[in-house]
Amino acid sequence: MWGFRRSTSTGKSFLLGNPFDTFLLLRSQGLSDNVADLEKRTAVFGQNFIPPKKPKTFLQLVWEALQDVTLIILEIAAIISLGLSFYQAPGEETEACGNMAAGGEDEGEAEAGWIEGAAILLSVVCVVLVTAFNDWSKEKQFRGLQNRIELEQRFAVVRNGTVIQIPVADIVVGDVAQVKYGDLLPADGILIQGNDMKLDESSLTGESDHVSKSADKDPMLLSGTHVMEGSGKMLVTAVG
């Protein structure tokens, strides 16, 4: 890897033949703010952003609400009730004509027998729609909150020798990021300068013990881990 360094005495740039010198320069100065270079890095290595899962439609939420065991039992009971209310045995019609005068009140009850089944079905429909609407509104609110957090979350990186705050999604491979106590690492990287750093990697390993990190021993830093002690600088090696 080759790079250029500007002489402090003459003000001219000269070629660095030693790759280690180039690395030291990158560590101190960070990347440039050249838009073309940043876009090229994003195109090659990807953006530091995980696309959200496709949201469920309202009809999918309705279908999920219908899978409740209690609602399934009520649906079956309502269908059976409706079927029995409209069913009439072959001999009952002649018998009903002979007893028309005496059984007027019973006939009215028989004609209204479908109301019970229809009421059960209507109740099931109301419960399903209310449940699906609540799930849809909660999912919409959650996604809005998540998007707002992702847009507002910023991280400190070194570019052109200056520490600036940029959105996490704008971090690219090659950036030098400053990490400190309490930070949630936004990308994978290598620790190039550290001061008694300890990380919580329980989200990856399940172990609650804090892991010590140093530039010469175990320098790998992984996205999603928390900095519990110390501070340092990380060279970003992978995003997304």
Side-chain angles (χ1 to χ4, degrees):
M1 181 177 179
W2 299 88
F4 289 88
R5 174 179 289 171
R6 182 173 295 276
S7 173
T8 55
S9 58
T10 62
K12 296 181 180 180
S13 298
F14 60 93
L15 183 65
L16 291 171
N18 189 343
F20 184 69
D21 289 340
T22 304
F23 175 74
L24 291 178
L25 178 63
L26 176 63
R27 186 179 77 169
S28 60
Q29 299 295 321
L31 295 179
S32 67
D33 54 3
N34 185 281
V35 178
D37 178 55
L38 297 177
E39 290 179 350
K40 183 177 180 180
R41 290 174 181 270
T42 302
V44 174
F45 300 105
Q47 189 179 12
N48 193 33
F49 174 74
I50 299 177
K53 187 179 179 181
K54 185 179 179 181
K56 295 179 180 179
T57 64
F58 185 77
L59 291 179
Q60 288 177 320
L61 295 174
V62 169
W63 175 251
E64 289 184 359
L66 284 171
Q67 307 307 309
D68 185 78
V69 177
T70 304
L71 294 181
I72 292 175
I73 294 174
L74 289 175
E75 292 165 12
I76 295 173
I79 292 172
I80 293 175
S81 177
L82 284 174
L84 292 177
S85 66
F86 290 113
Y87 176 76
Q88 189 174 15
E92 288 184 1
E93 186 175 354
T94 305
E95 184 179 348
C97 292
N99 299 329
M100 185 177 296
E105 197 172 306
D106 294 337
E107 183 181 356
E109 292 181 0
E111 290 179 354
W114 61 270
I115 296 179
E116 182 178 352
I120 296 175
L121 279 180
L122 182 61
S123 301
V124 170
V125 170
C126 291
V127 170
V128 168
L129 291 178
V130 170
T131 303
F133 179 77
N134 287 337
D135 292 342
W136 177 79
S137 60
K138 286 189 293 185
E139 185 174 358
K140 184 178 179 181
Q141 291 176 358
F142 173 76
R143 288 186 177 275
L145 178 62
Q146 188 177 24
N147 291 336
R148 189 173 64 181
I149 291 175
E150 290 176 352
L151 291 175
E152 293 178 354
Q153 187 179 6
R154 292 178 173 271
F155 213 81
V157 298
V158 181
R159 288 186 180 174
N160 283 336
T162 305
V163 179
I164 60 174
Q165 296 281 339
I166 64 172
V168 171
D170 291 344
I171 295 176
V172 297
V173 172
D175 263 325
V176 176
Q178 288 192 334
V179 294
K180 60 185 184 303
Y181 166 74
D183 284 345
L184 175 67
L185 298 185
D188 296 343
I190 299 175
L191 183 65
I192 56 179
Q193 179 183 339
N195 179 25
D196 297 329
M197 280 191 61
K198 289 186 178 181
L199 267 64
D200 178 10
E201 296 183 344
S202 59
S203 59
L204 301 177
T205 63
E207 299 291 337
S208 59
D209 295 337
H210 296 169
V211 181
S212 298
K213 298 287 182 178
S214 62
D216 56 349
K217 184 180 179 181
D218 194 9
M220 296 303 300
L221 305 180
L222 300 177
S223 175
T225 57
H226 283 87
V227 181
M228 305 306 294
E229 294 183 21
S231 60
K233 290 183 178 180
M234 174 183 73
L235 178 64
V236 177
T237 58
V239 296

